[in-house]
Amino acid sequence: MSPLVKIRSERDQMSAVERRIADFIVENAQLLRDYSSQQLANALGISQSSVVKFTQKLGFKGYPDLKYSIGEAIARAAPGETAPVSPAQGAASEALGDRLWRRKCAAEEETRVINAPATIQAVAEAIDRAGRSGRVFLLGMGDDDVHVRAFALRLALLGILTVHSFDVVRMTSNVAAAKAGDVLVVISEFGQHAALGKIARQFRERRGQLVTLTRHTANPLRTLADIALVVSAHDEQPYIQSLLYQSAMQHLLDSVFVRLCEGHDDRHAQLLGNLERIQHILEP
């Protein structure tokens, strides 16, 4: 894994001092070769030992090892591995749309790295089992509900009917009828909403399997999950960060959907049949 991708993907788990070091390295990656560990510490107003501990926590032997690894990553110039350009540089060197696309690619790459294929496969298998012998519940609020509805539609195309709602009162009533073997997928960016946590606990009391999709942070909802999918998406501009989160989160849901399509012939046949019927209805 590129050290820059690793730093960005693990940023949410870092302390305040570690985040300052991480942000400085990512923003000044191309200039890092000119900084010693002491100079970096002086620039941030921290101790040299904090810089050394940061590099070791990332799995490097020391600061020189990290600096060399970042230099190699920049030389390869692979997508998602270069340091983000500043707004002024971006405006001068490339169109805003191209810059946004690159940042979305980086967020999706970071998110892909921190979600093991086995975890995504486990989510797909849980949904498939519940779709055959139980029920699949989907829940999200605000902007997350938009993705819940779209995911519910895709599952319906595979013959997996879902119970979904953005109304926590209605979902509380629905979850009261849950049983072992059912699956609840909760999408919540920050995982802090108290009502969602209460519904998740209620669902687990009925021995259902809880799947959560949140940011890659320590949050109450994620701690309740049987299977947790996480998103890494960062930007200094809140409106850009929100777009990156939604893009990376959608990529995760698409990955689950593709596994459901390709892992089961009957699901794939159901999808093709439903798409054909929809096309027939829409034809003039």
Side-chain angles (χ1 to χ4, degrees):
M1 187 195 311
S2 160
L4 295 177
V5 171
K6 184 177 180 64
I7 289 171
R8 288 194 294 263
S9 66
E10 295 186 6
R11 183 184 183 279
D12 289 334
Q13 306 298 316
M14 296 177 181
S15 66
V17 171
E18 290 170 343
R19 284 197 295 271
R20 288 176 60 197
I21 300 172
D23 293 343
F24 184 90
I25 289 176
V26 170
E27 293 168 7
N28 301 277
Q30 294 184 351
L31 304 176
L32 200 64
R33 65 181 182 273
D34 299 325
Y35 279 83
S36 66
S37 59
Q38 184 61 64
Q39 289 172 322
L40 192 154
N42 291 341
L44 294 173
I46 59 177
S47 67
Q48 185 181 20
S49 63
S50 295
V51 175
V52 174
K53 290 177 181 178
F54 173 84
T55 59
Q56 292 174 341
K57 188 173 181 179
L58 288 173
F60 294 93
K61 295 179 181 179
Y63 177 76
D65 189 26
L66 172 63
K67 186 164 66 170
Y68 177 78
S69 183
I70 289 176
E72 280 194 326
I74 293 174
R76 287 195 299 269
E81 294 183 330
T82 56
V85 296
S86 68
Q89 291 172 322
S93 63
E94 59 184 349
L96 289 176
D98 187 48
R99 203 166 112 247
L100 176 61
W101 177 80
R102 290 178 183 277
R103 294 190 180 190
K104 283 185 175 181
C105 288
E108 290 175 8
E109 171 65 10
E110 293 164 24
T111 298
R112 183 190 65 79
V113 167
I114 59 178
N115 290 276
T119 302
I120 298 175
Q121 182 64 32
V123 173
E125 291 175 353
I127 291 175
D128 179 65
R129 286 194 302 270
R132 295 179 189 277
S133 58
R135 283 175 293 183
V136 177
F137 296 82
L138 301 175
L139 178 60
M141 300 179 66
D143 290 343
D144 293 322
D145 177 60
V146 176
H147 296 276
V148 164
R149 291 172 182 264
F151 191 53
L153 176 59
R154 288 193 176 93
L155 293 183
L157 291 174
L158 296 175
I160 302 174
L161 300 181
T162 64
V163 180
H164 64 281
S165 175
F166 65 91
D167 187 327
V168 293
V169 175
R170 179 175 297 178
M171 186 55 91
T172 300
S173 300
N174 291 335
V175 167
K179 61 183 186 301
D182 291 346
V183 168
L184 170 62
V185 180
V186 183
I187 300 177
S188 175
E189 181 172 0
F190 298 103
Q192 300 283 354
H193 201 291
L196 298 183
K198 290 178 181 178
I199 292 174
R201 291 188 184 90
Q202 178 185 353
F203 185 80
R204 291 205 62 184
E205 288 172 358
R206 298 184 174 276
R207 294 183 296 173
Q209 191 168 21
L210 176 64
V211 177
T212 63
L213 197 163
T214 69
R215 280 191 174 274
H216 185 39
T217 57
N219 60 76
L221 190 60
R222 182 181 173 187
T223 60
L224 294 171
D226 295 297
I227 310 174
L229 296 174
V230 290
V231 173
S232 177
H234 308 284
D235 194 272
E236 60 184 15
Q237 299 294 343
Y239 60 90
I240 296 294
Q241 181 163 278
S242 175
L243 296 176
L244 301 186
Y245 163 77
Q246 292 176 35
S247 177
M249 185 260 288
Q250 185 60 60
H251 184 72
L252 262 183
L253 292 175
D254 290 345
S255 297
V256 173
F257 175 73
V258 168
R259 286 176 183 266
L260 284 166
C261 292
E262 297 184 348
H264 308 278
D265 292 339
D266 58 334
R267 295 291 190 203
H268 189 250
Q270 181 83 37
L271 172 65
L272 295 179
N274 282 330
L275 291 176
E276 184 177 347
R277 283 187 283 273
I278 291 173
Q279 182 63 34
H280 177 72
I281 291 175
L282 295 178
E283 287 177 352

